[in-house]
Amino acid sequence: MTPDAIALAFQHACAAELAALKAGNVHRFSPGHGMEVRHFEQAAAAAAPFIAAAGERIGARIEGAVAASLAATGLNTNLGIVLLCAPLALAAERGGPLRDSLHVVLEDLDASDAQATFRAIAQANPGGLGRHESHDVAAPPRIGLIQAMTLAAGRDRIARQYASGFADVFDLGLSRFRNLEDAEPEARAEAVHLGFLAAFPDSHIARKFGPEVAEAVRREAAEIAREVDFAAPAAERHPPLLAFDQALKQRGLNPGTTADLTVATLFAAALSP
């Protein structure tokens, strides 16, 4: 796949995620958490050339995309998106079945990727990250990126993707997306998002508010998932999603990891139609 096609697929995935009613996150139906749709659009446009930079390693793509996004918006809108999409972009550039190529790409990560990624994470300064006695992102890494992500996998769902070969994206996200082939595009994205949110506690919420709150949100999402028919038109499926969206935002709860995984799923779908 060409760099231009990859960059376009990335921007389309970001736009498709913003067009969907994703409870608790920023979307075209509602801003939230001090951010608006335009911030995410600006960040996506700024990040795309770096995500798709031909021949660049994953760490360089991540660091360049994060720096460009911060410069464009002054906000950390897309660190998780960038962390997830950079490996997928390089896998698409290599060609072949996306999941197989991704496995090769992840195995090739080296110390330079860890250094660049740690710098990008520290620059973005994501909320609730905290400090860790060993292998803190604020200090130069002493281990490889996969090792660092594996150590963090128990508390961070994005790190878990690196450790698991993006199992959640392929086995849960893409499966749900493809099972709704005849649904509206926004409905497919909404189904992926709510599917992730109902399947496991959002790690962004867990970092900021604790695992009990994140698990409570997961249970709420699971109940709502049983109510929503994603094959139905928006007028029928949106009322419970809007109510859930408002309830989460009133409590200041932002399932940011779930939104990031949704973008990664939409990106992977575009890269392997």
Side-chain angles (χ1 to χ4, degrees):
M1 201 167 189
T2 68
D4 285 347
I6 293 169
L8 187 61
F10 174 76
Q11 288 194 259
H12 282 173
C14 292
E17 184 257 357
L18 292 168
L21 205 171
K22 309 173 316 299
N25 299 125
V26 176
H27 46 74
R28 69 183 177 90
F29 301 94
S30 170
H33 317 291
M35 296 177 287
E36 300 177 4
V37 165
R38 64 181 175 86
H39 295 126
F40 290 85
E41 291 173 336
Q42 291 164 355
F50 295 93
I51 290 290
E56 288 284 5
R57 296 192 62 84
I58 288 174
R61 293 175 193 236
I62 290 169
E63 188 171 24
V66 168
S69 299
L70 289 170
T73 67
L75 299 167
N76 171 27
T77 57
N78 65 358
L79 173 63
I81 290 169
V82 167
L83 288 170
L84 291 170
C85 290
L88 291 168
L90 182 52
E93 182 183 304
R94 287 180 57 90
L98 186 67
R99 196 168 190 175
D100 293 344
S101 295
L102 179 64
H103 180 73
V104 174
V105 161
L106 294 175
E107 281 194 333
D108 188 48
L109 288 167
D110 65 12
S112 70
D113 294 301
Q115 291 159 5
T117 300
F118 273 40
R119 288 193 299 265
I121 294 171
Q123 186 180 14
N125 191 25
L129 187 64
R131 301 298 295 263
H132 299 280
E133 185 174 340
S134 60
H135 313 303
D136 193 280
V137 298
R142 301 188 301 276
I143 58 176
L145 187 54
I146 289 294
Q147 291 171 289
M149 292 295 195
T150 300
L151 287 172
R155 63 179 183 271
D156 188 287
R157 207 78 195 185
I158 291 173
R160 185 187 290 262
Q161 303 317 302
Y162 279 75
S164 70
F166 283 49
D168 291 333
V169 170
F170 285 94
D171 296 336
L172 195 162
L174 272 179
S175 175
R176 192 164 176 83
F177 180 85
R178 288 170 173 160
N179 284 341
L180 288 165
E181 187 175 354
D182 295 329
E184 297 174 356
E186 294 84 358
R188 299 176 84 184
E190 290 161 3
V192 169
H193 179 270
L194 195 60
F196 280 132
L197 195 55
F200 38 75
D202 183 272
S203 52
H204 181 72
I205 292 176
R207 281 198 306 272
K208 294 192 73 173
F209 297 94
E212 295 83 6
V213 173
E215 170 58 20
V217 171
R218 187 204 66 77
R219 291 196 300 268
E220 289 178 66
E223 291 179 11
I224 292 164
R226 289 191 285 269
E227 297 177 24
V228 179
D229 177 7
F230 290 101
E236 295 180 23
R237 68 175 190 273
H238 277 181
L241 294 176
L242 279 170
F244 190 28
D245 180 63
Q246 293 167 2
L248 290 176
K249 287 173 179 171
Q250 286 170 358
R251 288 178 279 169
L253 299 175
N254 175 12
T257 302
T258 302
D260 297 338
L261 288 166
T262 300
V263 174
T265 298
L266 299 176
F267 188 42
L271 298 176
S272 55

